[in-house]
Amino acid sequence: MLKRIVIVGGGTAGWMTAAYLRAAFGSNIAVTVVESKRIAPIGVGEATFSTIRHFFGFLGLREEDWMPKCNATYKLGIRFENWREPGHHFYHPFERLRVVDGFPLTDWWVHKRPGDRFDRDAFLMAAICDAERSPRYLDGRLFEQDFVENPEPENIRTTLSEQGTQFPYAYHFDAALLAGFLAEHAMERGAVQILDDVLDVGRDQRGWISHVQTREHGQVEGDLFIDCTGFRGLLINQALEEPFVSFQENLPNDSAVALRVPVDMEQRGLRPCTTATAQEAGWIWTIPLYGRIGTGYVYASDYSSPEEAERTLREFVGPEADDMEANHIKMRIGRTQRSWVGNCVAIGLSSGFVEPLESTGIFFIQHGIEQLVKHFPAGDWDPVLQDAYNRSVAQAIEGVREFLVLHYRGAARNDNQYWRDAKTRAVPDGFAERLEQWHSKLPTESSIFPHYHGFEAYSYLAVLLGLGGEPVKPAPALALMDGTAADKEFQLIRDQSRDLVKSLPSQYEYLSQMH
Ligand code: FAD
């Protein structure tokens, strides 16, 4: 069996991997994390999606254990502002659609148009987000009665692939605090940290990695090397020369400028969602953490200079950020062709990344780690495990690429060259046919990207109807059916939304109590 795991890189990917591998295999493996003192982690990556709870659950952590230490908040979905037209917003929530007489409520909504806001009419989350409510009551109960929480998370550990029910929320957290928290957690459980730079990568006669050469600690040897060095891909791309497949022709946003803005939460409120506000050459994220806001402008360098982007971001944020230094980031959009090559597995930005519009970076990390555990090699390095791993990692990011392309293709906004070009840009193979199909029949599980990529048909429905730029039609069958049950369901959602907004505490109130 392989015993010595060497992780190079100590950002979110490095420490999530170290903590998870120790949780999975305990002391049957040795985990060493080599982390540079000089090269800072990327410092962004603060919004997640709802499957992240399996990660914390697998580590045996409860919200009270880690959320206050990472300034974490709840995220019930993403609020898209101005993607259709100025002043318009809609939510992509973590909420599956209700089904009435065999048709999702979306189909009924397109048929009946009971209101002008699809998200408010079909989901509970929209009202809860608008009203800045917590998803939990002050006594800790979840608002979502359908979801039965695992009473013994530390004994029954679930993973992504066992997400049977849709958990109603994810988290926002401070990336640096989380990496620090996980580092401490992993080291308490036996992971070893080496604070040093990797200067060179040693190879054996097969061309596989035998050791990494550090500046002050000599050679660090291992059986399996995990590349968590971020966009550099120091092991996988530089040493092993595995090619990188760019998604630039489909997704041109290649740059970001970010700010950390301290805020008075009590006065401003704490909206339980990420906001993505469309701009002239991209969009701005707003991530409310406990005590500050993480914000940044993701843009295409073909349409905006860094100076222009920073100006736009500062105007958007206002004077609160005047003294804050902006962090300019060049993004590598796409994926390493094979994330696992020889005895090296890339996890995190070294493996692949798409712009953070649907907060998928940390999801890719979690997926990569879980798949690694499921396909963990023995000493014979069975290539079938490696191939299966590579397929599953590639499919996840390819699916998300397609979902993101839908956001630009589907946005009704058409007021400048950037948004007009978004409608004519090249799309990934298979997407055009799928979109054509959705014009006649709204997306279903069998008509979206066919492999696991974290999103279900309801997400496609939410963004398609929210963005408003693509034509959709009601299912003809509905005109022949009695719609009374659908009317009742729409009324039920209105009543439940109103009651929840009344009875739930504000997110600020709930988290302040936790703190
Ligand atoms: P990094 O954070 O870059 O860490 C690299 C590590 O490698 C560092 O510790 C560094 O010291 C080390 N290293 C590098 N070279 C050497 C060397 N020679 N020797 C030793 N150590 C070395 N994801 C989400 O899920 N949600 C989001 O909202 C989100 N927003 C994002 C916004 C932007 C603008 C960007 C660019 C990314 C975003 N992401 C998001 C992605 C997320 O930030 C990353 O997936 C996550 O932070 C993991 O990064 P990483 O650990 O792979 O790389």
Side-chain angles (χ1 to χ4, degrees):
M1 297 304 291
L2 312 181
K3 296 260 182 225
R4 297 168 305 167
I5 318 296
V6 176
I7 299 171
V8 182
T12 306
W15 284 112
M16 277 181 74
T17 307
Y20 196 92
L21 290 179
R22 286 296 295 194
F25 299 138
S27 54
N28 292 325
I29 54 160
V31 174
T32 305
V33 178
V34 186
E35 173 181 6
S36 169
K37 281 183 276 192
R38 294 178 314 116
I39 306 169
I42 193 115
V44 283
E46 306 195 313
T48 56
F49 62 85
S50 65
T51 48
I52 189 75
R53 77 194 176 89
H54 297 294
F55 175 81
F56 290 110
F58 200 85
L59 265 48
L61 292 167
R62 291 166 195 273
E63 289 182 352
E64 309 81 85
D65 301 332
W66 71 272
M67 281 185 75
K69 291 183 178 157
C70 301
N71 290 346
T73 58
Y74 292 122
K75 170 182 172 184
L76 277 61
I78 302 178
R79 174 180 163 115
F80 289 87
E81 289 182 348
N82 305 348
W83 286 71
R84 186 191 278 238
E85 64 206 8
H88 179 267
H89 78 265
F90 73 94
Y91 291 97
H92 168 202
F94 295 116
E95 184 174 348
R96 284 191 184 147
L97 284 157
R98 301 178 187 194
V99 176
V100 175
D101 291 336
F103 286 84
L105 212 47
T106 9
D107 287 64
W108 286 106
W109 189 88
V110 173
H111 172 62
K112 287 177 168 281
R113 303 272 171 176
D116 61 353
R117 286 259 317 260
F118 153 73
D119 55 349
R120 269 190 174 252
D121 293 337
F123 297 115
L124 297 174
M125 296 295 195
I128 298 176
C129 287
D130 275 343
E132 302 184 349
R133 294 294 180 242
S134 154
R136 290 185 183 272
Y137 291 99
L138 288 174
D139 63 8
R141 258 178 318 127
L142 258 182
F143 84 87
E144 174 64 90
Q145 284 117 13
D146 292 348
F147 188 84
V148 183
E149 283 192 280
N150 183 348
E152 292 182 278
E154 65 276 26
N155 296 334
I156 309 161
R157 300 187 300 181
T158 55
T159 62
L160 283 176
S161 50
E162 293 141 75
Q163 165 112 341
T165 40
Q166 171 62 68
F167 194 66
Y169 62 77
Y171 307 104
H172 305 119
F173 45 66
D174 181 303
L177 294 180
L178 182 81
F181 176 85
L182 291 177
E184 203 177 303
H185 179 90
M187 285 192 278
E188 276 166 8
R189 284 155 188 79
V192 172
Q193 180 190 42
I194 297 178
L195 279 174
D196 204 345
D197 293 333
V198 169
L199 301 178
D200 199 7
V201 177
R203 316 269 292 271
D204 64 17
Q205 61 282 17
R206 294 170 298 181
W208 292 20
I209 300 175
S210 52
H211 64 272
V212 290
Q213 181 68 43
T214 61
R215 192 186 298 277
E216 294 162 10
H217 292 76
Q219 294 185 352
V220 180
E221 294 180 351
D223 301 316
L224 176 68
F225 289 82
I226 308 202
D227 185 344
C228 294
T229 60
F231 286 135
R232 280 169 199 79
L234 185 70
L235 274 51
I236 195 93
N237 304 119
Q238 292 187 34
L240 299 181
E241 297 178 18
E242 184 64 10
F244 185 77
V245 182
S246 171
F247 295 170
Q248 190 84 23
E249 66 163 354
N250 312 131
L251 296 169
N253 293 347
D254 58 356
S255 307
V257 49
L259 283 167
R260 296 160 166 242
V261 189
V263 287
D264 179 346
M265 293 174 294
E266 193 173 359
Q267 194 221 327
R268 184 187 164 117
L270 208 46
R271 192 178 274 159
C273 61
T274 305
T275 300
T277 309
Q279 299 293 328
E280 300 289 295
W283 58 278
I284 289 177
W285 79 78
T286 305
I287 297 181
L289 302 180
Y290 197 82
R292 79 161 164 88
I293 292 223
T295 184
Y297 184 8
V298 170
Y299 64 96
S301 60
D302 285 346
Y303 297 81
S304 170
S305 67
E307 296 73 31
E308 241 179 299
E310 185 173 335
R311 223 173 13 254
T312 304
L313 179 63
R314 287 191 183 280
E315 269 166 27
F316 180 84
V317 174
E320 285 157 321
D322 280 354
D323 301 334
M324 302 293 142
E325 202 182 322
N327 177 13
H328 285 266
I329 300 166
K330 201 73 199 153
M331 305 188 300
R332 185 177 79 152
I333 304 297
R335 65 179 174 88
T336 290
Q337 195 162 292
R338 292 172 303 164
S339 288
W340 178 350
V341 177
N343 62 342
C344 173
V345 178
I347 292 181
L349 298 174
S350 55
S351 162
F353 177 65
V354 291
E355 62 179 89
L357 186 54
E358 285 285 348
S359 318
T360 43
I362 292 162
F363 162 71
F364 292 146
I365 296 172
Q366 186 184 355
H367 180 249
I369 304 169
E370 287 194 8
Q371 290 300 310
L372 178 60
V373 168
K374 288 181 200 288
H375 296 92
F376 202 76
D380 64 351
W381 295 93
D382 185 342
V384 172
L385 295 174
Q386 181 178 342
D387 291 347
Y389 177 87
N390 281 332
R391 241 188 340 269
S392 137
V393 166
Q395 283 164 352
I397 190 166
E398 291 290 344
V400 174
R401 155 158 77 165
E402 201 173 298
F403 186 43
L404 293 197
V405 166
L406 175 64
H407 290 63
Y408 291 95
R409 183 54 78 97
R413 187 170 179 158
N414 204 13
D415 57 336
N416 72 1
Q417 201 54 43
Y418 174 86
W419 290 97
R420 281 192 289 278
D421 288 350
K423 312 292 179 286
T424 54
R425 197 162 279 129
V427 294
D429 288 347
F431 175 79
E433 297 85 75
R434 280 192 267 278
L435 183 61
E436 199 50 47
Q437 202 179 341
W438 301 335
H439 290 155
S440 298
K441 173 85 186 82
L442 289 168
T444 62
E445 295 310 332
S446 56
S447 69
I448 61 171
F449 185 80
H451 305 286
Y452 179 75
H453 58 292
F455 293 100
E456 301 175 16
Y458 85 79
S459 293
Y460 286 74
L461 288 161
V463 303
L464 197 60
L465 294 179
L467 292 165
E470 290 291 331
V472 292
K473 282 197 237 165
L478 299 186
L480 303 171
M481 292 174 76
D482 174 8
T484 315
D487 291 336
K488 278 195 186 144
E489 204 58 45
F490 286 124
Q491 187 55 46
L492 186 62
I493 289 176
R494 275 192 285 277
D495 294 345
Q496 288 174 331
S497 300
R498 191 198 49 236
D499 293 348
L500 286 168
V501 165
K502 251 195 236 152
S503 61
L504 284 166
S506 73
Q507 157 151 253
Y508 173 71
E509 199 181 350
Y510 184 82
L511 291 180
S512 295
Q513 176 190 263
M514 187 192 273
H515 273 253

